Amino acid sequence: MTFVPAYPAFSILRAIVIPPYGGNTLWANTATAYENLPESLRKLADGLRAVHSNDYDYAALRPGALPEQLVRFREVFASTKFLTEHPVVRVHPETGERTLLLGNFVQRISGLTGADSRDLFALFQRHVERPENTVRWQWQVGDVAIWDNRATQHYGVDDSDDHDRKLRRVTIDGDVPVGVDGRSSVLLAPESVPDPAFGIASGASTTDAAADTAAGAADGAAAGAAVGAAVGAAETAAV
């Protein structure tokens, strides 16, 4: 959910009902993806920012979605249109690593024309999705996966036909990303993140929290990718 400034830091999934085939989850390690870029591309990415939004064509991304799923997406997921500008490369607030902040919510690369924006996004996203950066998890009932959204992308494969697939999710509040140049992510629309239906609004969306994140990122030491483990498997994640 990178269309808001402080998107979730961590997520946890527990498998309840698993189909007889399909339904795997892929994760990609966005720290490794950045690290393995040619130096010229790393320098280019360091200076880019991208606009993320939840206003995108869900039907194109999920061509097999049922009509009721499309209706629910519009009513719940896209009821408020968000636009947030993130750095394409964020500095991990705990490890100091640089990670590529991209994914399906990217609407455009800031300051570029449509064609150039799409081409540049595709270039970097391909590096994220390289098999060398990914792991595929075949779920068993009772499995638990924990991952760091600040250093991964993930994708649930929709290939189990009409079989039931049920997983329980817990998501941990995130922090506002900070780029290599020290600039934080910015909410472009609406004027502020609406209060949630229950609980309190994320404190990580505040200016003070963003400043704290920037200071922490500057102090962070570079390290190996901090990514989620799936059921104790110390493997990094995929898209």
Side-chain angles (χ1 to χ4, degrees):
M1 301 201 308
T2 57
F3 51 83
V4 293
Y7 60 86
F10 298 95
S11 294
I12 305 170
L13 276 182
R14 180 167 65 94
I16 307 298
V17 178
I18 298 303
Y21 57 84
N24 298 171
T25 297
L26 300 169
W27 285 269
N29 185 335
T30 59
T32 299
Y34 175 85
E35 182 181 347
N36 290 336
L37 287 173
E39 183 179 0
S40 57
L41 288 182
R42 289 200 301 269
K43 289 181 178 179
L44 174 61
D46 287 347
L48 295 175
R49 294 175 71 87
V51 175
H52 297 232
S53 178
N54 61 335
D55 186 13
Y56 71 103
D57 191 349
Y58 179 80
L61 189 63
R62 296 284 190 178
L66 299 174
E68 53 267 30
Q69 292 175 313
L70 298 177
V71 170
R72 179 164 178 78
F73 169 81
R74 287 189 291 267
E75 290 180 348
V76 177
F77 192 74
S79 58
T80 299
K81 301 295 190 299
F82 289 95
L83 287 174
T84 295
E85 185 184 68
H86 289 296
V88 167
V89 179
R90 72 169 294 179
V91 179
H92 196 288
E94 296 172 23
T95 69
E97 293 170 292
R98 297 182 183 187
T99 68
L100 291 172
L101 205 178
L102 295 168
N104 289 328
F105 294 115
V106 172
Q107 190 178 80
R108 66 182 184 275
I109 303 296
S110 299
L112 298 182
T113 64
D116 289 342
S117 173
R118 288 190 296 272
D119 290 344
L120 202 51
F121 165 75
L123 169 65
F124 288 114
Q125 186 65 27
R126 278 199 305 272
H127 281 273
V128 172
E129 297 177 14
R130 290 182 64 207
E132 292 83 356
N133 297 328
T134 65
V135 64
R136 183 177 185 127
W137 191 257
Q138 184 175 357
W139 293 96
Q140 302 294 324
V141 173
D143 282 356
V144 175
I146 306 172
W147 68 92
D148 185 342
N149 289 300
R150 300 165 298 182
T152 61
Q153 291 182 15
H154 71 281
Y155 180 78
V157 183
D158 186 13
D159 60 352
S160 52
D161 298 322
D162 294 331
H163 294 288
D164 288 339
R165 179 181 183 272
K166 183 181 296 183
L167 298 97
R168 301 293 188 191
R169 178 193 295 265
V170 174
T171 297
I172 291 83
D173 195 16
D175 50 276
V176 177
V178 176
V180 175
D181 60 1
R183 294 170 60 201
S184 301
S185 299
V186 178
L187 179 67
L188 303 179
E191 291 186 0
S192 62
V193 177
D195 290 336
F198 57 89
I200 60 175
S202 168
S205 298
T206 66
T207 302
D208 290 342
D212 291 342
T213 299
D219 293 337
V227 280
V231 196
E235 299 211 55
T236 54
V239 65

